[in-house]
């Protein structure tokens, strides 16, 4: 992400029978930019995090699809950037709020009736030797992958935080494995309630049990 991308494209994939896709539609972005996390705000609107190690003028952008047939769209600012939002990563919409990882911080942001961003509320702050990556929201809890800036400098974990941010988080330790993407299994992939994760650093698909 230190180099500008040569191309930036929005993809829409419709599942087909078995392991094949029924349709793959693409549309180039007018502005070539790296994006990391993405979440659906409504049926035609995406919220996305511009990926920049040093932060950005915009922490979250809003992509509005104006034509479902061509994927024509507009992109506008949704949440202004801040020095507190370095290394943007996980993002998810649940129950009228956006849950968002900015570097070492996990925020809950109220989505207004107009679909705008309310005031970010910090619900978890990682220690100085850790950084947060992806997250999964379920019930009253937000689970986030917490990894060492230097692997081995403190244990890596799945950190489970109450949405209020008012209780002490608990951690599922992952040892030397630094997790990236994270999802909670609804039961269609094996064991209901378990975590399915990937690791950018060590590779593989992994499962953890609360």
């Amino acid at each position: 992400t230190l180099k500008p991308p040569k191309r930036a494209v929005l993809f829409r994939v419709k599942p087909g029978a078995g392991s094949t896709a029924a349709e793959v539609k693409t549309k180039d972005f007018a502005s070539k930019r790296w994006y990391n996390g993405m979440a659906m705000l409504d049926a035609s609107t995406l919220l996305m995090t511009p990926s920049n190690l040093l932060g950005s003028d915009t922490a979250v952008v809003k992509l509005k699809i104006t034509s479902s047939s061509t994927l024509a769209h507009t992109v506008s600012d949704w949440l202004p950037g801040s020095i507190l939002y370095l290394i943007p990563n996980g993002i998810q919409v649940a129950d009228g709020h956006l849950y968002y990882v900015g570097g070492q911080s996990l925020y809950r942001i109220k989505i207004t009736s107009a679909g705008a961003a309310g005031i970010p509320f910090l619900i978890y702050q990682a220690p100085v030797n850790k950084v947060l990556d992806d997250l999964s929201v379920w019930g009253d809890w937000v689970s986030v992958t917490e990894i060492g800036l230097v692997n081995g400098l403190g244990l890596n974990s799945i950190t489970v935080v109450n949405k209020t941010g008012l209780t002490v988080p608990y951690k599922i330790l992952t040892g030397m494995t630094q997790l990236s993407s994270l999802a909670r299994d609804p039961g269609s992939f094996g064991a209901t309630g378990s975590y399915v994760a990937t690791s950018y650093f060590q590779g593989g698909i992994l499962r953890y049990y609360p």
Side-chain angles (χ1 to χ4, degrees):
T1 58
L2 297 179
K3 293 183 179 181
K6 295 181 179 179
R7 189 182 182 199
V9 184
L10 174 67
F11 287 81
R12 183 181 69 200
V13 181
K14 291 185 178 180
S19 59
T20 61
E23 179 192 70
V24 179
K25 179 79 71 174
T26 65
K27 180 68 175 180
D28 282 64
F29 288 103
S31 176
K32 298 178 179 65
R33 193 175 193 180
W34 295 112
Y35 290 102
N36 196 348
M38 181 180 71
M40 295 294 299
L41 179 61
D42 57 43
S44 62
T45 310
L46 303 173
L47 296 178
M48 306 187 301
T49 53
S51 184
N52 189 324
L53 293 177
L54 301 179
S56 171
D57 291 340
T58 306
V60 179
V61 302
K62 179 176 69 174
L63 183 148
K64 184 75 173 180
I65 297 174
T66 56
S67 171
S68 60
S69 60
T70 65
L71 284 190
H73 58 265
T74 59
V75 178
S76 58
D77 295 348
W78 192 80
L79 178 68
S82 166
I83 192 66
L84 301 175
Y85 305 149
L86 302 182
I87 322 177
N89 272 309
I91 179 174
Q92 190 169 336
V93 173
D95 302 320
H97 291 81
L98 178 76
Y99 295 87
Y100 168 71
V101 166
Q104 295 178 309
S105 306
L106 174 62
Y107 296 93
R108 185 185 74 238
I109 304 170
K110 176 70 175 177
I111 300 172
T112 70
S113 58
I119 298 173
F121 180 77
L122 179 68
I123 60 173
Y124 178 69
Q125 179 69 46
V128 68
N129 62 328
K130 301 287 188 67
V131 67
L132 306 177
D133 199 326
D134 197 22
L135 58 85
S136 178
V137 181
W138 52 280
D140 294 328
W141 305 92
V142 183
S143 304
V144 60
T145 55
E146 184 171 337
I147 63 178
L149 288 170
V150 177
N151 201 11
L153 187 62
L155 292 176
N156 304 297
S157 67
I158 298 171
T159 300
V160 184
V161 181
N162 189 274
K163 285 179 176 179
T164 64
L166 300 178
T167 62
V168 178
Y170 69 90
K171 299 188 178 187
I172 302 167
L173 299 181
T174 63
M176 293 293 286
T177 303
Q178 297 168 290
L179 299 182
S180 303
S181 297
L182 181 70
R184 193 166 168 86
D185 188 353
S188 57
F189 195 65
T192 303
S194 63
Y195 293 100
V196 180
T198 63
S199 173
Y200 172 85
F201 301 95
Q202 284 84 30
I205 299 176
L206 307 104
R207 186 183 294 279
Y208 295 90
Y209 297 90

